[in-house]
Amino acid sequence: ATSATLGDAMWPKSSIAGVVSAVRSRLQLGNQKVSLRIERSLDDDEVALAELRSRESVKERWEVELQKPLGLTLKNVDGTPTVAQIKKGGSAERSKGRVRIGDRVVGVESAFGGRMYPVTTTKEVLAAAALPTPSISLRLERDVRVGPWSGLLRSDGDDDEDAVAPRDRRSSTQSQVQRDIGDALNVYLELRRAQLPATATASLLLDRCTFLAKTYARRASSRKAFRSGRGDAQDRLDALLQTLEDAEVELSAKFATNAVSAFVSVGAPKRGARLFERCARGDPGHPRPNRRLLTAGVSAYARLGRVDQAFA
């Protein structure tokens, strides 16, 4: 669409000739400003980035066993029993962050034990709490804010690698990768310190890291200094894996597949094969290979001339 010949209205256009005619008409009447409305299709990576950018919070669910007295007050908020107050000295206060004001109670343990059933009112929760048992298990839900994420990295010119010693460069790379990941990493660690599963946060964290692995590899091929670009990408991929390992995040098959492929793409198939081997062995925190991860592993071994080892 383009600006109308007169006024601020926008008129749709379906041909180049229509756009040229509208621009000329507006300029001939003395208007020095022409507005254009542009539309374009996004590729798969752009769609994935847009979706990741839009996810600034996740819903976490977990179960907690509280001794009686529970030490909390509930009220119905939007049709869900919600923690409105935590009383001093009660079991909820001693839960070390596993119960907070604003948490929603979405399930309680059956009177016969071993099974959770959903609840939608405070009366249902109070009825379960009134049973003659020393404790009660609750299933809680919390909105966890992981913060905005751009998914964009600094431009190549921001890295003055020649001025940095190798040891300092590794530390700098690790710090930069952690900034690339964003707040989701710190949020995950905070939840784990509270002994919460952080399943949804880990899933979002790995989705972001998957995108970063692909981006590091893509940037390496577009840098003017191709060799240094590959070396930088290899270091970033190593730092990405180390960061996740230090945080004890269980890798997903999707992330591992993209990380192996990224190592191959930046000329480090041995590192990709090493990651695949850890998955194939079933090392803690590593996924068992599915079809796509196996294909990535075969590609890494093929670059090394050792395809037969992928099936050993």
Side-chain angles (χ1 to χ4, degrees):
T2 65
S3 301
T5 303
L6 296 172
D8 297 326
M10 299 293 290
W11 290 87
K13 295 293 183 289
S14 58
S15 67
I16 295 177
V19 174
V20 172
S21 176
V23 172
R24 284 177 176 173
S25 297
R26 191 169 176 87
L27 294 178
Q28 287 172 357
L29 291 176
N31 291 305
Q32 299 301 311
K33 180 180 178 181
V34 180
S35 297
L36 303 177
R37 181 180 296 140
I38 299 174
E39 179 182 279
R40 69 182 174 93
S41 298
L42 300 177
D43 62 28
D44 290 343
D45 284 341
E46 289 173 318
V47 171
L49 177 56
E51 195 274 335
L52 282 173
R53 281 175 171 171
S54 68
R55 293 168 59 191
E56 295 188 13
S57 65
V58 296
K59 293 184 186 298
E60 290 288 359
R61 284 191 174 190
W62 66 95
E63 295 176 10
V64 58
E65 182 179 1
L66 297 177
Q67 300 294 318
K68 298 177 182 179
L70 305 183
L72 53 82
T73 302
L74 300 176
K75 69 176 181 179
N76 278 321
V77 178
D78 297 328
T80 305
T82 303
V83 178
Q85 181 183 6
I86 295 178
K87 300 176 181 179
K88 202 162 188 177
S91 183
E93 186 189 41
R94 298 194 301 271
S95 68
K96 298 181 179 178
R98 303 192 73 192
V99 182
R100 290 182 179 177
I101 293 175
D103 289 349
R104 298 179 290 273
V105 182
V106 295
V108 297
E109 186 178 18
S110 166
F112 302 101
R115 189 168 80 80
M116 303 292 291
Y117 67 90
V119 293
T120 57
T121 66
T122 56
K123 288 183 178 180
E124 292 175 297
V125 181
L126 294 175
L131 294 173
T133 56
S135 64
I136 181 175
S137 292
L138 305 176
R139 177 172 292 156
L140 301 179
E141 180 181 80
R142 180 185 301 170
D143 291 326
V144 177
R145 179 171 171 76
V146 293
W149 187 66
S150 67
L152 301 178
L153 311 178
R154 296 186 304 171
S155 63
D156 296 341
D158 292 339
D159 292 321
D160 188 6
E161 295 181 359
D162 294 335
V164 182
R167 184 186 307 173
D168 294 335
R169 186 179 303 146
R170 284 194 296 271
S171 176
S172 175
T173 299
Q174 187 85 17
S175 297
Q176 177 59 43
V177 166
Q178 291 177 4
R179 288 194 294 270
D180 291 341
I181 294 172
D183 293 336
L185 177 63
N186 292 329
V187 173
Y188 173 82
L189 291 172
E190 181 183 349
L191 292 171
R192 294 302 295 144
R193 282 193 291 268
Q195 298 182 344
L196 300 179
T199 305
T201 304
S203 178
L204 178 58
L205 174 60
L206 286 169
D207 283 346
R208 290 181 176 184
C209 290
T210 297
F211 187 87
L212 287 175
K214 294 164 65 176
T215 304
Y216 291 153
R218 185 169 58 249
R219 273 169 48 98
S221 63
S222 64
R223 296 186 88 159
K224 294 179 181 178
F226 183 67
R227 182 174 298 177
S228 64
R230 280 190 156 196
D232 177 67
Q234 292 170 13
D235 292 342
R236 288 177 186 255
L237 288 168
D238 279 337
L240 189 62
L241 282 171
Q242 189 61 54
T243 297
L244 293 174
E245 183 173 339
D246 290 345
E248 298 182 352
V249 178
E250 291 192 10
L251 305 185
S252 64
K254 179 181 178 181
F255 171 78
T257 299
N258 281 275
V260 171
S261 297
F263 274 124
V264 173
S265 176
V266 301
K270 184 178 292 187
R271 302 188 198 184
R274 191 181 307 131
L275 173 58
F276 174 77
E277 288 166 0
R278 298 188 67 179
C279 296
R281 288 197 304 265
D283 285 4
H286 290 71
R288 298 296 297 181
N290 58 15
R291 179 175 55 84
R292 291 185 177 182
L293 180 50
L294 178 60
T295 301
V298 170
S299 176
Y301 281 113
R303 292 293 182 92
L304 296 171
R306 296 157 33 200
V307 177
D308 55 312
Q309 293 187 21
F311 304 96

